[in-house]
Amino acid sequence: MSTQLTPAQLRHAIRTGEHTTNTSGLCQGFVQCNVAILPKAWADEFLQFCQLNQKPCPVVAMAAQPGDTNLVEIAPDFDIRTDVPKYRIWKHGELVDEVADISNVWRDDLVTFLLGCSFSFEEALIADGLEVRNISEGKNVPMYDTNIACREAGRFHGNTVVSMRPFKPADAIRMIQICSRFPSVHGAPIHFGDPAAIGIKDINKPEYGDAVTIKDGEVPVFTACGVTPQAAIMAAKPEFCITHSPGHMVVTDIPNSKLAIL
Amino acid sequence: MSTQLTPAQLRHAIRTGEHTTNTSGLCQGFVQCNVAILPKAWADEFLQFCQLNQKPCPVVAMAAQPGDTNLVEIAPDFDIRTDVPKYRIWKHGELVDEVADISNVWRDDLVTFLLGCSFSFEEALIADGLEVRNISEGKNVPMYDTNIACREAGRFHGNTVVSMRPFKPADAIRMIQICSRFPSVHGAPIHFGDPAAIGIKDINKPEYGDAVTIKDGEVPVFTACGVTPQAAIMAAKPEFCITHSPGHMVVTDIPNSKLAIL
């Protein structure tokens, strides 16, 4: 699959089953989103959870009404039932299926949330000349459970999950400046340095993703991560919900630069 | 001396000899500046040095012409010969006098530079709820020589001097955001963490100012410091120059918020 496809072309290829793999590195310059689809009976509390925990759970877009399958603000032709390469279907917190199309399980009470993802700020970091270690090492970013509690909203609760990227201090300062411009993709990091200070047991054993090299003179920099809302959903165990499969994101028509507040 | 004086009132009190001490904590909300006054034969190279090293040497204002004693952009009534509480007069890099008025040594070839000072960003940090340790401990900020070379300009050269303020990592991230808004008062820090990485030998023995407490879980955060241009001037040994005495600053009519770029 060429990386030169427009978002509309890629979504069409996904919809027709021509593209079935992850979206990492595709349609560079355009926002990609995490997906959470919840029944209306759970959606209000989930939105409140996101509102109370905006750094890990930045809502880029949500369906105007339960049952809506389009979200015009992210793309005029978008259809949430067909435009994600791979979906995960969950019942009572258990993964029950992984599918390429959710048209046959769609319900009129389902509310779609699209959440910001780190691809947007990683692109800005690389454009500024910073090395993003998980990318240069061809790995998934390492992610860790922390002891930083999210604010509860109804049945949704849990601790913040963070991703980690190592930088030299001067580069970390620049990274903080750049990421501060992107509040809707997790914004500035929430911690750097001592992993134990936020309850991380072993920096070399991430709970999600892959460990990356931390070189001499570098400090680990920790950013709130989109796995946080997924973990909160799994813990809340709604009778039914749908997420994207990791790395298989919604590709929007929104340029990454549109997420920059300055 | 009341802290409630306007900058114009304080400058008048300084001019008339009523106020002779340092300006720390006075006229809160208004920009205070470091002073460097150099003969024209040295001024062009000094300006280039500042241009090449903007983080330690941010020029807030400079005289339009050699010999000018007013700088209308900082205050309509300003007179550099009388409006600083205490001046230091240097010859060939040696301190030769400390005076309250430089009218009798003024020369038509002297060029006045006003450089940004950390008071402006410290006020913004405190307003945001951060603890600035040198202020809470009633000390001068600790300052250190580093191994970070400035870019040379003619006869001016030297290493960057940094000030240090300790913060917990989350507060350091916020401090970086706030200071980034104030490029004309040294901007974002240039290093945090390991002092040895920038050539600091002993964090408890600053070359200038006082040591401050670094608490458990805090990291030292290092900001380029206005002592850098002073040290470069001392090393260049111009036959004649004038600076302010430490802490005895120019108090301007410029609100600190005007220095914020966003």
Side-chain angles (χ1 to χ4, degrees), chain A residues 1-122:
Chain A
M1 180 63 54
S2 160
T3 61
Q4 299 307 308
L5 290 183
T6 67
Q9 289 170 332
L10 178 58
R11 285 193 303 272
H12 183 267
I14 292 169
R15 199 176 304 151
T16 57
E18 187 189 344
H19 180 95
T20 58
T21 56
N22 77 59
T23 55
S24 177
L26 300 182
C27 298
Q28 288 189 17
F30 292 92
V31 175
Q32 298 199 21
C33 288
N34 296 304
V35 179
I37 303 170
L38 289 156
K40 171 70 176 164
W42 294 78
D44 294 342
E45 286 176 12
F46 182 70
L47 178 58
Q48 188 187 11
F49 183 78
C50 292
Q51 171 62 29
L52 292 174
N53 302 283
Q54 293 186 42
K55 292 201 84 157
C57 314
V59 177
V60 170
M62 70 174 285
Q65 299 289 336
D68 279 1
T69 54
N70 195 342
L71 285 86
V72 286
E73 67 265 49
I74 66 116
D77 64 337
F78 181 72
D79 190 323
I80 186 61
R81 297 169 297 186
T82 54
D83 289 4
V84 176
K86 208 183 292 176
Y87 303 81
R88 286 182 164 183
I89 299 174
W90 305 79
K91 291 187 178 171
H92 303 287
E94 300 290 323
L95 178 64
V96 295
D97 208 355
E98 196 153 28
V99 297
D101 186 310
I102 55 169
S103 299
N104 64 339
V105 295
W106 188 254
R107 304 174 0 184
D108 283 347
D109 70 334
L110 292 180
V111 180
T112 298
F113 296 87
L114 301 185
L115 305 180
C117 119
S118 60
F119 290 175
S120 298
F121 74 73
E122 286 182 338

Side-chain angles (χ1 to χ4, degrees), chain A residues 79-229:
Chain A
D79 190 323
I80 186 61
R81 297 169 297 186
T82 54
D83 289 4
V84 176
K86 208 183 292 176
Y87 303 81
R88 286 182 164 183
I89 299 174
W90 305 79
K91 291 187 178 171
H92 303 287
E94 300 290 323
L95 178 64
V96 295
D97 208 355
E98 196 153 28
V99 297
D101 186 310
I102 55 169
S103 299
N104 64 339
V105 295
W106 188 254
R107 304 174 0 184
D108 283 347
D109 70 334
L110 292 180
V111 180
T112 298
F113 296 87
L114 301 185
L115 305 180
C117 119
S118 60
F119 290 175
S120 298
F121 74 73
E122 286 182 338
E123 181 179 279
L125 297 176
I126 291 166
D128 201 66
L130 297 178
E131 185 202 340
V132 176
R133 186 64 39 79
N134 46 294
I135 292 178
S136 58
E137 293 191 342
K139 292 181 176 171
N140 290 322
V141 71
M143 293 165 277
Y144 305 86
D145 290 328
T146 73
N147 60 11
I148 303 170
C150 291
R151 295 177 65 190
E152 287 188 27
R155 292 160 284 184
F156 293 99
H157 60 88
N159 286 351
T160 303
V161 178
V162 292
S163 61
M164 187 280 287
R165 294 163 188 80
F167 296 99
K168 288 184 185 151
D171 288 343
I173 290 166
R174 184 67 185 138
M175 182 268 194
I176 290 166
Q177 292 180 315
I178 293 170
C179 291
S180 294
R181 302 176 63 220
F182 291 93
S184 57
V185 284
H186 308 305
I190 60 174
H191 181 62
F192 62 75
D194 182 17
I198 56 171
I200 295 174
K201 290 174 189 71
D202 186 344
I203 196 71
N204 296 312
K205 292 186 180 160
E207 274 81 18
Y208 320 86
D210 307 317
V212 298
T213 309
I214 302 176
K215 298 180 182 171
D216 228 36
E218 291 182 338
V219 293
V221 179
F222 299 97
T223 302
C225 174
V227 170
T228 309

Side-chain angles (χ1 to χ4, degrees), chain A residues 55 168-170 172-174 176-177 180 188-194 219 221-222 262, chain B residues 55 168-170 172-174 176-177 180 188-194 219 221-222 262:
Chain A
K55 292 201 84 157
K168 288 184 185 151
I173 290 166
R174 184 67 185 138
I176 290 166
Q177 292 180 315
S180 294
I190 60 174
H191 181 62
F192 62 75
D194 182 17
V219 293
V221 179
F222 299 97
L262 27 116
Chain B
K55 294 201 83 158
K168 289 184 186 151
I173 290 166
R174 184 66 184 138
I176 291 166
Q177 292 180 314
S180 295
I190 59 174
H191 181 62
F192 61 74
D194 182 17
V219 293
V221 180
F222 299 97
L262 26 117

Side-chain angles (χ1 to χ4, degrees), chain B residues 66-115:
Chain B
D68 280 1
T69 55
N70 195 344
L71 285 86
V72 288
E73 66 263 50
I74 68 117
D77 65 337
F78 180 73
D79 189 324
I80 186 61
R81 297 169 298 186
T82 54
D83 289 3
V84 176
K86 208 184 291 176
Y87 303 82
R88 287 182 163 182
I89 298 175
W90 306 78
K91 291 186 178 170
H92 303 288
E94 299 291 323
L95 177 65
V96 297
D97 208 356
E98 197 152 28
V99 298
D101 186 310
I102 54 169
S103 299
N104 64 339
V105 296
W106 189 255
R107 304 173 1 181
D108 282 348
D109 69 334
L110 293 179
V111 180
T112 298
F113 295 89
L114 301 185
L115 304 180

Side-chain angles (χ1 to χ4, degrees), chain B residues 133 137 139 164-166 204 211-216 218:
Chain B
R133 187 63 39 77
E137 293 190 342
K139 293 180 175 170
M164 187 282 286
R165 295 164 187 80
N204 296 311
V212 299
T213 310
I214 302 176
K215 298 180 183 171
D216 228 37
E218 291 181 339

Side-chain angles (χ1 to χ4, degrees), chain B residues 168-234:
Chain B
K168 289 184 186 151
D171 288 343
I173 290 166
R174 184 66 184 138
M175 182 269 195
I176 291 166
Q177 292 180 314
I178 292 170
C179 291
S180 295
R181 301 176 64 220
F182 291 94
S184 56
V185 285
H186 307 306
I190 59 174
H191 181 62
F192 61 74
D194 182 17
I198 56 171
I200 295 174
K201 291 175 189 68
D202 186 343
I203 196 73
N204 296 311
K205 293 186 179 161
E207 275 80 19
Y208 320 87
D210 308 316
V212 299
T213 310
I214 302 176
K215 298 180 183 171
D216 228 37
E218 291 181 339
V219 293
V221 180
F222 299 97
T223 302
C225 173
V227 170
T228 309
Q230 293 178 24
I233 291 171
M234 297 313 108

